[in-house]
Amino acid sequence: MQPTPMNRMSTLDAEFYFAEHADAPLHMGSVAVFDGPVPEYRDITRLFAAKLPRVPRYRQVVSTVPGQLLRPVWADDEHFQIRHHVRHVKVPAPGGDEQLRTVAAKLFARRLDLSRPLWEEWLLTGLADGRWAILSKVHHCMADGIGGNDLMTLVFDTDPDAAPPEPVSWVPAPGPSLADRAADQVRDAVTWPLRQLAAVPKTSARLRRLARPGDLLEYSRGLSESTRRLAEPSASFLNGPIGPKRRWAWTTTSLTELKQIRRAHGGTINDVVLAVITGAFRDLLAARDKLTEGLVVRSLVPVSTRGPDEAGVVANRVSAVLANLPVGEPDPLRRLTLIRQQMDSLKHRHQAVSAEILTAMLGVSAPMWLALGTQAAFRFPQPLVQTVTTNVPGPRLPLYVLGRRMTVLYPFVPIGNSIRISIAILSYLDTVTFGITADYDAVPDVDVVVQGIRRGLAELAAQPEAEASPEVQPQPAGT
């Protein structure tokens, strides 16, 4: 049998892979809750086994070499066993939300086995009212948030009467030899300058547009504004070491309510969400007696770069921007205005040029230096970023598993070194869920954030349209 074609990790995927360590597992996840009847574990296992051909990456492992001298590659797992990835646990009585959160937090805190394909599905039984759930984990080196949703629609069904597919036999293909991998990397190093030369016309055209007097002035203003935002006093006391245990909580609202707030006060859905989260952090800091005038909580906000033809692509297609959440501002509408102005500025095209150049530079880094640099960056304490907030549009059609309808979907996003709180926002049908992940010991008051999100939504929803500030005008629909 011939070996599979070389399937090297992208630079970004490799960064997520190398950044993980014992106290910072870097998998994303979700808990999907279904109405009964509760299926048998063996039926769930058979279903996932039958659907694996739709996601070949689910039977592949990350293959590395000692010292990271060669780029990691994906290779078929010669010892793949479905029972290693589809598991079962019973939620303790009475099976309410508190018990579900506790069990899920423990499962999410456990690292995936890096010697196996980097995903798990857990059948959770014992929920109240005859409900049951599926807890999903997938490593960030495999997919970003939108990619994870695409995978969900491949594995779950959109038709309640869909018959489970017939199992298909599978034989793992031999992975590339060490010599083949070395030769491939040498070829890549040799051809890289030619690929960059081929991209020169496109890059030059973008730089020429940037060099026009008006665009150059706007670029300079953008840099100046970015520098000013970084100089604002941030709540760096929220940063600190993290441990292996997690707290996980959630709260929900409706997409309809978010759209009503957006129509009344302008901006985008994402602007509204960030303003709500700003209010929640304001409540947290006030409860800890740390709130001061002019203070911000700086957030990393992932931005999808996934094209319309990349649905189902199992890889990361994501960039990010830094946003200052103005927690020191007491007026909720003013907070929304400040968020909107920031995000409008951050969407300027010059940032995409910078991202392209940076990605190109990283792409030629030796894997060893990429590994060492990523590990150092993620493990070194930093006071710059206090949180991560990611907003992902989820399925707009009902999903089913074995004919049972999924009723709600709760998102999980990992925390990292020095970042003790992360928030994921995920929609399903008309429900929008805020999933809050926190370090267990550092954030015992995570419920303050939950209540703060609810209060922030109520504050904005209660503001009549006539009270919007002059800077905030209705905008076209957006996220």
Side-chain angles (χ1 to χ4, degrees), residues 192-208:
W192 184 84
L194 297 177
R195 295 197 305 273
Q196 299 312 301
L197 285 174
V200 163
K202 179 181 177 181
T203 303
S204 297
R206 298 192 67 178
L207 291 175
R208 282 196 301 272

Side-chain angles (χ1 to χ4, degrees), residues 38-45 82-92 103 107 110 120-127 131-135:
V38 180
E40 296 289 336
Y41 167 68
R42 62 175 178 271
D43 293 333
I44 289 291
T45 302
I82 188 67
R83 60 184 176 83
H84 291 156
H85 301 274
V86 181
R87 302 181 181 182
H88 169 234
V89 68
K90 186 174 182 180
V91 176
V103 169
L107 294 177
R110 294 170 45 172
E120 287 178 356
E121 303 286 340
W122 289 80
L123 171 63
L124 307 182
T125 59
L127 299 184
R131 300 172 303 147
W132 57 281
I134 291 179
L135 183 149

Side-chain angles (χ1 to χ4, degrees), residues 214-467:
D215 289 346
L216 189 58
L217 178 60
E218 185 64 28
Y219 177 76
S220 300
R221 289 173 178 170
L223 287 179
S224 176
E225 184 178 346
S226 298
T227 302
R228 180 188 59 79
R229 283 199 298 264
L230 288 174
E232 293 183 43
S234 67
S236 57
F237 45 80
L238 290 177
N239 298 102
I242 61 174
K245 299 171 64 177
R246 299 289 178 266
R247 295 182 189 269
W248 182 57
W250 68 72
T251 187
T252 62
T253 186
S254 70
L255 185 59
T256 298
E257 181 178 16
L258 293 177
K259 289 181 177 179
Q260 288 173 344
I261 294 172
R262 181 200 67 196
R263 284 195 295 268
H265 306 301
T268 66
I269 294 293
N270 194 58
D271 296 339
V272 173
V273 164
L274 289 176
V276 168
I277 292 171
T278 302
F281 273 105
R282 177 179 170 84
D283 287 356
L284 179 67
L285 296 176
R288 295 184 179 186
D289 198 25
K290 294 286 189 179
L291 186 62
T292 58
E293 184 179 356
L295 191 67
V296 302
V297 168
R298 194 165 290 114
S299 177
L300 188 72
V301 182
V303 177
S304 176
T305 59
R306 188 173 292 261
D309 59 341
E310 294 184 302
V313 173
V314 188
N316 283 277
R317 298 288 190 270
V318 66
S319 183
V321 296
L322 287 178
N324 287 351
L325 307 183
V327 293
E329 170 57 54
D331 180 9
L333 285 184
R334 179 60 181 166
R335 291 198 295 264
L336 176 58
T337 298
L338 294 173
I339 290 290
R340 175 187 167 187
Q341 291 172 347
Q342 266 192 91
M343 298 309 292
D344 286 347
S345 173
L346 289 169
K347 292 171 186 175
H348 195 274
R349 188 173 297 178
H350 76 263
Q351 298 192 47
V353 174
S354 300
E356 286 178 1
I357 296 172
L358 178 61
T359 302
M361 291 172 62
L362 288 174
V364 299
S365 299
M368 176 181 65
W369 296 114
L370 175 62
L372 293 175
T374 301
Q375 290 166 358
F378 276 80
R379 298 186 186 190
F380 189 75
Q382 57 82 30
L384 183 66
V385 178
Q386 285 80 54
T387 189
V388 174
T389 51
T390 174
N391 184 10
V392 177
R396 298 306 306 272
L397 297 174
L399 296 182
Y400 302 84
V401 168
L402 297 175
R404 285 82 158 174
R405 177 172 170 144
M406 185 171 79
T407 59
V408 66
L409 184 62
Y410 303 123
F412 170 87
V413 63
I415 58 176
N417 296 287
S418 300
I419 298 179
R420 292 168 158 177
I421 305 175
S422 293
I423 301 178
I425 304 94
L426 179 63
S427 61
Y428 171 59
L429 301 178
D430 189 52
T431 299
V432 178
T433 301
F434 295 75
I436 302 99
T437 306
D439 180 76
Y440 188 88
D441 295 318
V443 193
D445 47 357
V446 66
D447 286 342
V448 175
V449 180
V450 174
Q451 296 299 327
I453 291 173
R454 293 171 183 166
R455 195 169 78 89
L457 285 164
E459 279 183 333
L460 288 173
Q463 300 290 333
E465 183 175 352
E467 295 186 11

